[in-house]
Amino acid sequence: MEKANLTAGRLVLGLAATLAVLAVLLTAALFFWRPYIVTSGGMRGAYTAGSLLFVRGAQAGELAPGDKVTYRLEDGQVLTARVTEIDPERQQLRVLGDDNTQFDGTVIPYGSVLGRGGWAVPWLGWAAACLHTWPGIAAGAALTAMLALWLALPHWLKKADEQQDGPGEAEAEERRQAHV
């Protein structure tokens, strides 16, 4: 009886963890948050490297100094920094990463803005990045299979014990233990 409770507990825990991750991703998608992987420590005060950052679309005109902005460079790289100044005449933003102590000259045009930096889930970005490679896909499949075995193995072992004991032995043993 105790093994069955342990197996059920493992199953519930595994399902709850999976559903929690899916709920985060689904909620983000429903509310138009786009995920990006934080790959550096430039915004260390707000986001750690390896986090999955969710960004909500925003126009440059909606931003104010102090806001976190995610933008795309000409080479396609996506970065997030804090707005320090807005130049509406030139339609540019001056930005600086939270971990940088002095302005490095980064100025971005309004058209490069992807959105306002939002919330992040630590470590989930590294997992997402790994799943975009063949070794990462193989590792993810192997981990999923190992988790499934870990959850199912106690149940299978219990069934094997019951078959070895013969029909009715397991129930008789449970009754004996219940009366002790």
Side-chain angles (χ1 to χ4, degrees), residues 36-122:
Y36 294 95
I37 300 168
V38 179
T39 58
S40 71
M43 286 293 289
R44 192 169 298 141
Y47 311 118
T48 58
S51 296
L52 191 61
L53 170 64
F54 291 91
V55 175
R56 182 128 195 203
Q59 299 296 317
E62 300 171 20
L63 300 171
D67 285 345
K68 294 170 273 190
V69 62
T70 299
Y71 56 96
R72 186 179 310 277
L73 297 176
E74 289 179 14
D75 65 2
Q77 186 179 9
V78 176
L79 300 171
T80 299
R82 197 169 298 275
V83 176
T84 57
E85 291 180 39
I86 299 174
D87 186 348
E89 286 181 23
R90 293 187 180 153
Q91 295 196 341
Q92 296 176 334
L93 302 171
R94 287 179 68 158
V95 296
L96 181 67
D98 284 357
D99 203 41
N100 301 333
T101 56
Q102 48 183 227
F103 182 67
D104 61 2
T106 304
V107 178
I108 58 168
Y110 279 10
S112 297
V113 171
L114 297 173
R116 186 183 316 256
W119 50 283
V121 180

